[in-house]
Amino acid sequence: MSHGVSVRGVVYRLMAGLCLLLPAISTNASSPNFPTAFVTPTQIFDRFGDITCEDELARLDNLAIELQSAPAQHAYIIVYGSSRGRRNEARARLARMKFYLVKRRGVDATRITTINGGYRENLECEFWLMPSDAPAPSPQPTVSPHDVKLKGRMRVRGYDCGANLG
């Protein structure tokens, strides 16, 4: 190369720049649906599919702990209904999650925003933990509402799925 810049120097600078942009990676062995969570200030804190009540509560507990230890953070919960699920599936799950975080874990309701993400092939939930002044994440549905075949209806209410766990 001309101007005294070596190929090795250019490659080194590119690699160093990429390392600064890559998110920190942590393994979440309890999630068979999505084994790796990418955690940075503006990315997904956790992602999972249709899991048991106990697993959902454990993930909500992790989110609550993170919010309690980082007061400048805001949680966004996005739920995508299943393309073959029931009506109000996403809304019901969002209500249940926010209810648990606010009523059972004492998180300030103003620090949690719930977003109905539309539809994906299977039910999916995403927890985003972001600075309070950052813009909200945008839902990324993968199934058009015209292609959705819903059966039955879920009641939309803020109930605690762990109420009967003892």
Side-chain angles (χ1 to χ4, degrees), residues 1-21:
M1 289 189 137
S2 59
H3 307 295
V5 178
S6 70
V7 172
R8 183 184 300 165
V10 170
V11 170
Y12 177 77
R13 286 187 191 107
L14 285 172
M15 294 300 290
L18 278 174
C19 288
L20 292 174
L21 295 175

Side-chain angles (χ1 to χ4, degrees), residues 21-28 36-47 66 73 127-130:
L21 295 175
L22 291 176
I25 298 175
S26 67
T27 303
N28 188 346
T36 305
F38 297 95
V39 182
T40 66
T42 58
Q43 289 194 350
I44 294 175
F45 175 74
D46 196 2
R47 172 188 288 162
E66 199 65 34
Q73 298 292 314
F127 294 167
W128 295 70
L129 190 61
M130 302 170 62

